[in-house]
Amino acid sequence: MPLKDMYESCNQCGFAFARVDTEAWGKSSARRLMCPVCGWTAYDEIRWDEDQPHVIKHSESKGFGAFRLIPPGGYCGYNAFHERPSSEVLHSLRDLMVNKGWKGYISLWNEAEGKASLLLGSPLDKFAVIEKK
């Protein structure tokens, strides 16, 4: 698959590299897009008839931020907030990153500014040490 087919532009914040995940079974397939910056997601179910795709289901969800958590010695994917995260959820994520040695980042969508802001960590350096504050 060409690299250009593995991403699309985000419909919320405009980030050029919203992730695309696909799966197929028989004459059906699904495509999920998620922006690792703002958390916007889209989902398509596709039916293939004579090598022609027909979208039979499409949905989009506004993002309220995104996060990635990588446990010590492991790998984990990106996740999106589909509602404003509670302080309890943010505290739990922060505890994993600051006190338990997990890597990653947390971003939150700011509706007033129309952009996401990095709350903790870095999406670019999965090996960064997060200082306890």
Side-chain angles (χ1 to χ4, degrees), residues 8 19 33-34 49 68 72 76 93 96 109 121 130 133:
E8 285 191 18
R19 300 172 55 82
L33 293 90
M34 192 207 109
D49 296 315
R68 182 178 189 198
C76 187
L93 295 174
L96 288 171
W109 180 254
I130 302 202
K133 293 182 182 177

Side-chain angles (χ1 to χ4, degrees), residues 59-112:
S59 62
E60 287 190 37
S61 297
K62 177 182 171 141
F64 289 88
F67 65 97
R68 182 178 189 198
L69 292 176
I70 305 166
Y75 172 80
C76 187
Y78 296 88
N79 297 283
F81 294 118
H82 292 291
E83 62 183 35
R84 192 138 328 269
S86 68
S87 59
E88 184 176 275
V89 167
L90 293 174
H91 177 75
S92 295
L93 295 174
R94 184 181 185 285
D95 183 55
L96 288 171
M97 293 172 70
V98 172
N99 298 318
K100 306 282 197 261
W102 291 49
K103 308 295 182 216
Y105 71 93
I106 304 169
S107 70
L108 293 178
W109 180 254
N110 184 320
E111 191 67 42

Side-chain angles (χ1 to χ4, degrees), residues 16-33:
F17 300 102
R19 300 172 55 82
V20 177
D21 293 316
T22 59
E23 61 183 72
W25 57 99
K27 292 187 173 196
S28 298
S29 63
R31 187 173 82 125
R32 294 170 190 84
L33 293 90

